[in-house]
Amino acid sequence: MTRARIVETATRLIDTEGVAALTMRRLGAALDVEAMSLYRYVNGREDLLEAVVDALVDSIEIPAASDLQPVDGWQAFLQVLAHNVRQVAIEHPAAFPLIATRHPAAPWLRPPLRSLRMVEAFLTGLEARGFSQRQAVGAYRSFTSFLLGHLLLEAAMQGAPLAPAEEPLDEGDAHVPNRDAELDVREFPTVARLRRPLAEDHTDEEFETALEHLLVRLDLENAQ
Amino acid sequence: MTRARIVETATRLIDTEGVAALTMRRLGAALDVEAMSLYRYVNGREDLLEAVVDALVDSIEIPAASDLQPVDGWQAFLQVLAHNVRQVAIEHPAAFPLIATRHPAAPWLRPPLRSLRMVEAFLTGLEARGFSQRQAVGAYRSFTSFLLGHLLLEAAMQGAPLAPAEEPLDEGDAHVPNRDAELDVREFPTVARLRRPLAEDHTDEEFETALEHLLVRLDLENAQ
DNA sequence: ACCTGAACACCGTTCAAGT
DNA sequence: ACCTGAACACCGTTCAAGT
């Protein structure tokens, strides 16, 4: 029994059954131990969640110089890093929101790159590829905002089936928000008309093109 | 006692004491009523949270034609809308993450514009200002991603003081993540060096320039 | 019609006690 | 050194009973 093992199975429990299902007692059971034993390794539930987040962030692979072609510059660095973060988000759709939601220790540790190790690697990575100090810091800000927006949306859409369909109240049936199939064409004609294009899933291209645009933007700012 | 009043005080409770403090029993007490009474108006805690989110989303002001100058086009529409969403996020820093985290009813209801009314207004607003169907849908996607990333980061940074400082474990003191003041210069030299620029708060300009860039990008895509 | 008391199952957490 | 039983305070939720 180690803290690492606890964090591991906690992460798995979250990913398979949702954050709400992560209970000290259930986690204990999953580890064949009583809940109270966990308090030897973990400072309560909050500390456990924090540890899960830290482990997830630490599992993001940072592209080393050897991973990239010698000709590649910062663009390749950010490209690869972005996809590595995305991979973690996709692998842990239920746990990823925790990364976004829990307040980081310092105000400049921005999710999802919210660890000192991560920030250090990011900044040195960009400075090594020609960014000035201000440019590197600015890129850290834009890059994190970009990742958070896209990946949280992606994760939220994945987790949908986990939420048990809720029954509407008996009373007030009149104003239950319309679900999927039954859409009030009178009240929302435009949504009804654009139903098809709205329903299409373009997550991959969206991420790709938004990333591309961010890189262009950074390039322009650096040239100025 | 109405559902609206319940949702209202629930929102206030969340904003002042955090989501974890929103308990059926405490909410009841805040309304001078036993917790069980709430079940007449609300289908359990989950339904209540959903209602809080819906109310927040509905409170976002959508710029009407009369709010804008006649010469203003879609750019002004998106500018004003973006700032209105941001205002709600800033007024409810603790509640805003709920908007981002809870799965919307339909996969194309993207936070933070996650209501039919909102999507309808957004799409008609853009179509009325010259967007094609595809362009309007594309803009809905980029715009929501942009808002989510920026506003969630902003909200997360605001809420920081709410989180009670956690004591590190007695054992394993060696690898407690360094907090603010005591930063290991050896291990994280670049972060230490860029300490100053990193600590600066540029939330406003960031939002402004990122929004500006998004508008430019949409303009380019529309021209193609 | 609206509120409540009592009850149940399930939490997080502490601590003295076991091995 | 590590795990546990018992206990406490606090949850969400149901339902029969009150007014």
Side-chain angles (χ1 to χ4, degrees):
Chain A
M1 179 74 51
T2 66
R3 186 173 159 109
R5 197 159 90 88
I6 292 176
V7 172
E8 231 168 80
T9 69
T11 308
R12 189 173 49 240
L13 232 159
I14 291 175
D15 279 328
T16 55
E17 313 197 38
V19 195
L22 178 65
T23 260
M24 297 304 277
R25 291 170 137 105
R26 306 233 282 174
L27 178 56
L31 288 160
D32 270 319
V33 116
E34 300 299 317
M36 318 76 159
S37 316
L38 303 174
Y39 287 81
R40 289 244 146 227
Y41 306 91
V42 145
N43 236 337
R45 190 175 187 261
E46 288 304 292
D47 181 54
L48 172 63
L49 289 177
E50 210 69 44
V52 167
V53 169
D54 287 347
L56 279 179
V57 172
D58 276 344
S59 80
I60 298 173
E61 261 192 77
I62 298 170
S66 57
D67 294 341
L68 304 172
Q69 304 291 335
V71 289
D72 293 334
W74 56 270
Q75 335 240 6
F77 177 76
L78 291 183
Q79 279 269 7
V80 174
L81 179 56
H83 284 98
N84 290 352
V85 179
R86 181 161 184 244
Q87 197 187 334
V88 172
I90 290 174
E91 279 166 4
H92 305 278
F96 192 79
L98 290 178
I99 299 182
T101 292
R102 305 190 65 81
H103 325 112
W108 35 270
L109 288 182
R110 301 166 53 118
L113 267 39
R114 39 157 289 171
S115 75
L116 275 172
R117 182 187 139 266
M118 209 71 213
V119 182
E120 177 74 18
F122 184 90
L123 295 174
T124 57
L126 286 192
E127 283 196 323
R129 291 169 177 84
F131 273 53
S132 76
Q133 299 197 2
R134 326 191 46 80
Q135 286 166 352
V137 173
Y140 172 61
R141 298 214 173 100
S142 338
F143 195 66
T144 45
S145 294
F146 155 75
L147 287 176
L148 199 63
H150 279 267
L151 299 184
L152 208 58
L153 265 169
E154 207 166 336
M157 295 174 58
Q158 291 226 3
L162 270 184
E166 287 158 31
E167 299 300 322
L169 284 177
D170 295 345
E171 57 155 346
D173 243 340
H175 267 289
V176 170
N178 299 307
R179 286 197 184 270
D180 219 292
E182 1 125 21
L183 198 155
D184 190 337
V185 182
R186 255 157 221 270
E187 206 175 353
F188 308 107
T190 313
V191 176
R193 184 158 44 82
L194 298 187
R195 190 163 184 43
R196 274 296 169 69
L198 277 171
E200 288 170 16
D201 177 32
H202 293 311
T203 340
D204 287 6
E205 301 100 294
E206 270 175 60
F207 186 80
E208 235 54 73
T209 72
L211 175 56
E212 200 62 56
H213 281 281
L214 174 64
L215 296 184
V216 170
R217 174 184 150 194
L218 290 177
D219 200 25
L220 289 178
E221 283 173 5
N222 291 359
Q224 273 176 347
Chain B
M1 178 77 48
T2 65
R3 187 172 159 109
R5 197 159 90 89
I6 292 176
V7 171
E8 230 168 81
T9 69
T11 308
R12 189 173 48 239
L13 232 161
I14 292 175
D15 279 328
T16 55
E17 311 197 37
V19 195
L22 178 65
T23 259
M24 297 303 278
R25 290 169 135 107
R26 305 232 282 174
L27 178 56
L31 288 161
D32 270 318
V33 118
E34 299 301 315
M36 319 77 160
S37 316
L38 304 173
Y39 288 81
R40 290 242 147 228
Y41 307 90
V42 144
N43 236 337
R45 189 174 188 262
E46 287 304 293
D47 181 52
L48 173 62
L49 289 177
E50 209 70 45
V52 167
V53 169
D54 287 347
L56 278 180
V57 173
D58 276 345
S59 80
I60 299 172
E61 261 193 78
I62 298 170
S66 55
D67 294 341
L68 305 173
Q69 304 290 336
V71 290
D72 293 335
W74 56 269
Q75 335 241 8
F77 177 76
L78 290 184
Q79 279 269 8
V80 175
L81 178 57
H83 283 99
N84 291 351
V85 179
R86 182 163 182 243
Q87 197 187 335
V88 172
I90 289 174
E91 280 166 3
H92 304 276
F96 191 79
L98 290 178
I99 299 183
T101 293
R102 305 192 66 81
H103 324 113
W108 36 269
L109 287 181
R110 301 165 53 118
L113 268 39
R114 38 157 291 171
S115 75
L116 276 173
R117 180 187 141 266
M118 208 71 214
V119 183
E120 177 74 17
F122 184 91
L123 296 175
T124 57
L126 286 192
E127 283 194 323
R129 292 170 177 84
F131 273 52
S132 77
Q133 300 197 0
R134 322 193 49 79
Q135 286 166 352
V137 173
Y140 173 61
R141 297 214 173 99
S142 336
F143 194 67
T144 45
S145 294
F146 155 75
L147 288 176
L148 198 64
H150 279 267
L151 299 184
L152 208 59
L153 266 168
E154 207 166 335
M157 292 174 58
Q158 291 226 2
L162 269 183
E166 288 157 30
E167 298 301 320
L169 284 176
D170 295 343
E171 55 155 349
D173 243 341
H175 267 290
V176 171
N178 298 308
R179 286 195 184 271
D180 218 292
E182 0 126 19
L183 197 154
D184 190 336
V185 183
R186 254 155 222 271
E187 206 175 352
F188 307 107
T190 312
V191 176
R193 184 159 42 84
L194 298 187
R195 189 162 184 46
R196 275 296 170 71
L198 278 172
E200 289 169 16
D201 177 31
H202 293 311
T203 341
D204 288 5
E205 301 100 293
E206 270 175 60
F207 187 78
E208 236 51 74
T209 73
L211 174 55
E212 200 61 56
H213 281 281
L214 175 63
L215 296 184
V216 170
R217 174 183 149 193
L218 290 177
D219 200 27
L220 289 177
E221 284 172 3
N222 290 0
Q224 271 178 350

